[in-house]
Amino acid sequence: MSYRFIRITDYYDGYLKSYYERFPGKSHLSYEEQHNHLKNDSVELTSSFGKYLRNMGVDAMEIIANAEPLQRAWAKEHNLNEYLTFQKLISEQIKYYKPDVVWVDPTKLLNKKWIQNLRNEVRSLKLIVGHICAPYNSEIADSFSSFDIMFTCAPCQQKELTDMGSTAELIYHSFDPSILESLKTETKNYPRIDFIFTGSLFTGYGLHKSRIEYIEKMLEEDINISIFGNLETRSRVLSKKGMYYAINFLKNIKCNFIINEISLLKKNINYGDEKINYYSNKLINSVKPPVFGLEMFKLLASSKICFNIHGEIAKKCAGNIRLFEATGTGTCLVTDWRENLTDLFDVEKEIVTYKSAEECMDKVKWLLNNPDEREKIAKAGQERTLKYHTVENRAAVIDKILRNSL
């Protein structure tokens, strides 16, 4: 049985900005030309999923929802207003392609009313599935019951979704081995890096409070960590701090009802859960610009050790994508201990774990001073990922779940 599958996804905003800056002429190409070039440049796993699903006989395609020039090209070619609302344009695309299954990634589309309208408007649809692996507010949570299946990347979130009454399926992140082939053909080399972190450092509920604290502690102790990442602007942090104080002030004077009447506060009520601080000057001065796509994988491959720590949304579970990106490229991964890590790796033989900033720093120093052991762990971690944690493996699980549901 074949079926038509569309994954509506969004690429990282910073990557898309850099892509259109590097290739300004691509925004004037046809939809198909832009789409193909963007997918080939990005090394995004969502495109890899489509490739492996097609190999399994699925009529699979992806819509990159937040690539605005690409989306405008599609609208223009189909005689639609180029500036339709985000949700309306995605609906028009789904109506045009008539899929059996739609997979929804963007949080902007995790909207109960939009999902209900989609079911009414697209008669071909048999399944609408959602995906969440990030912090969410009450409005997004309200949409979960509208999906036939909710996919997530960590066991703790799976339990959370199940407790809400959703049919939740666990699909861990993964790695596409074809990236290694691309790395072989690349001529640009980065200098060998001892210890690296790549990723976001965002403040507020469910995000990166512990991550920021650990990295700032390392910088205080003069650990030589190369940081390539995203910091929020001062104005963004100040707005979050403002919400924190406003929400807690209203709670303290027993005026919680006002929070529910102000949409901004109601939508972001979780920002009231913990105090929000700005970054230290040392961290601000240490962060290098973020890298994306193949450039990021080249950086990881040139690094001896990769630092990983989960966001607060993960709770006690492991499951972020860096677990598989770092091990997949053959870097020695040092990550925070989580209770389900033994389901993924042979801990301390394929990856290295820590339970405190002090333990993390001690283990990093030991690994740098013992290159043979470090390389042995890195090699074992890569072998595990290439055997068990590939996109092809995950795509097969997804295909099985979808076929059973259909």
Side-chain angles (χ1 to χ4, degrees):
M1 176 191 71
S2 182
Y3 58 94
R4 175 166 283 191
F5 171 92
I6 292 181
R7 184 166 184 169
I8 307 162
T9 193
D10 42 9
Y11 284 4
Y12 194 73
D13 286 335
Y15 164 71
L16 285 175
K17 183 174 183 293
S18 73
Y19 171 82
Y20 284 110
E21 286 173 352
R22 285 184 293 120
F23 304 107
K26 298 300 179 185
S27 61
H28 304 298
L29 297 178
S30 70
Y31 176 80
E32 185 176 1
E33 289 171 320
Q34 274 193 67
H35 195 265
N36 289 337
H37 189 271
L38 182 55
K39 284 197 303 180
N40 291 334
D41 180 79
S42 70
V43 205
E44 284 278 350
L45 290 189
T46 50
S47 299
S48 297
F49 271 105
K51 174 179 67 178
Y52 289 112
L53 285 172
R54 285 189 288 275
N55 290 343
M56 296 170 193
V58 179
D59 181 6
M61 62 176 290
E62 307 83 38
I63 293 173
I64 307 166
N66 63 332
E68 291 183 10
L70 177 67
Q71 289 294 83
R72 285 200 297 271
W74 191 93
K76 186 176 181 180
E77 290 170 20
H78 291 81
N79 300 314
L80 297 170
N81 186 331
E82 293 179 42
Y83 298 97
L84 285 175
T85 65
F86 179 83
Q87 292 184 345
K88 180 64 175 172
L89 181 52
I90 299 298
S91 296
E92 290 296 326
Q93 289 172 289
I94 295 169
K95 282 192 277 187
Y96 178 82
Y97 291 113
K98 298 181 176 62
D100 300 290
V101 181
V102 163
W103 171 302
V104 180
D105 283 322
T107 53
K108 286 182 182 178
L109 298 177
L110 298 181
N111 177 281
K112 195 170 188 176
K113 185 177 178 182
W114 184 78
I115 294 298
Q116 289 170 344
N117 288 340
L118 197 62
R119 286 192 192 278
N120 295 332
E121 293 174 1
V122 186
R123 295 301 181 184
S124 66
L125 275 175
K126 299 179 180 69
L127 286 175
I128 304 179
V129 303
H131 180 245
I132 189 73
C133 202
Y136 52 83
N137 57 36
S138 56
E139 182 180 310
I140 292 172
D142 188 48
S143 75
F144 295 158
S145 60
S146 301
F147 290 92
D148 297 297
I149 305 170
M150 284 299 300
F151 287 93
T152 190
C153 67
C156 294
Q157 268 198 316
Q158 183 189 24
K159 183 180 184 305
E160 199 172 274
L161 293 169
T162 301
D163 290 344
M164 291 181 189
S166 296
T167 299
E169 295 284 357
L170 172 63
I171 297 291
Y172 283 111
H173 287 301
S174 52
F175 179 76
D176 189 351
S178 66
I179 289 167
L180 298 177
E181 293 302 315
S182 299
L183 291 178
K184 287 179 185 177
T185 61
E186 286 293 317
T187 55
K188 181 179 177 182
N189 294 314
Y190 286 98
R192 191 72 165 148
I193 296 170
D194 282 347
F195 186 34
I196 191 172
F197 169 78
T198 69
S200 298
L201 296 165
F202 293 161
T203 58
Y205 168 78
L207 292 169
H208 309 133
K209 181 175 182 288
S210 297
R211 183 180 294 178
I212 294 166
E213 290 172 353
Y214 269 63
I215 290 177
E216 292 200 330
K217 177 71 172 174
M218 291 180 199
L219 293 173
E220 288 171 12
E221 298 295 324
D222 293 323
I223 298 293
N224 183 24
I225 181 169
S226 299
I227 307 165
F228 296 81
N230 289 294
L231 301 182
E232 294 179 297
T233 62
R234 181 176 288 275
S235 61
R236 176 63 177 156
V237 177
L238 287 175
S239 71
K240 289 183 177 181
K241 289 181 77 167
M243 284 187 278
Y244 168 82
Y245 287 116
I247 289 165
N248 281 282
F249 173 75
L250 292 169
K251 285 180 177 178
N252 289 337
I253 62 172
K254 312 299 182 188
C255 290
N256 299 48
F257 68 94
I258 296 178
I259 298 172
N260 293 324
E261 292 176 3
I262 301 174
S263 61
L264 181 63
L265 295 183
K266 182 181 178 182
K267 189 175 181 179
N268 296 291
I269 192 169
N270 290 328
Y271 284 140
D273 291 351
E274 60 187 34
K275 193 170 182 180
I276 295 168
N277 298 313
Y278 197 59
Y279 311 105
S280 69
N281 287 331
K282 197 158 191 177
L283 175 57
I284 293 170
N285 294 330
S286 299
V287 174
K288 301 177 181 69
V291 286
F292 309 101
L294 201 56
E295 290 299 306
M296 181 198 69
F297 286 110
K298 283 191 283 184
L299 257 182
L300 287 174
S302 69
S303 301
K304 298 174 184 176
I305 305 169
C306 177
F307 172 68
N308 183 53
I309 185 169
H310 289 78
E312 275 65 38
I313 188 67
K315 297 185 170 64
K316 295 180 180 180
C317 298
N320 69 6
I321 196 167
R322 192 66 76 244
L323 294 171
F324 310 105
E325 290 174 334
T327 53
T329 54
T331 306
C332 183
L333 177 71
V334 175
T335 189
D336 48 336
W337 184 90
R338 299 288 168 131
E339 57 190 24
N340 66 311
L341 269 175
T342 52
D343 296 336
L344 300 168
F345 295 97
D346 190 342
V347 175
E348 309 310 327
K349 292 184 179 179
E350 296 172 342
I351 60 171
V352 177
T353 65
Y354 60 85
K355 293 184 179 179
S356 68
E358 289 72 23
E359 184 182 13
C360 177
M361 291 186 282
D362 287 344
K363 287 190 171 181
V364 167
K365 290 174 185 175
W366 186 88
L367 289 165
L368 289 173
N369 290 328
N370 293 271
D372 290 344
E373 286 301 310
R374 183 188 70 240
E375 289 170 13
K376 183 179 175 182
I377 293 167
K379 185 171 185 275
Q382 185 178 41
E383 287 174 353
R384 168 74 71 158
T385 290
L386 296 181
K387 185 174 182 180
Y388 294 105
H389 303 311
T390 64
V391 179
E392 186 174 15
N393 291 342
R394 303 288 194 255
V397 176
I398 291 170
D399 181 50
K400 184 177 179 180
I401 290 169
L402 295 178
R403 287 181 188 275
N404 288 341
S405 298
L406 285 168

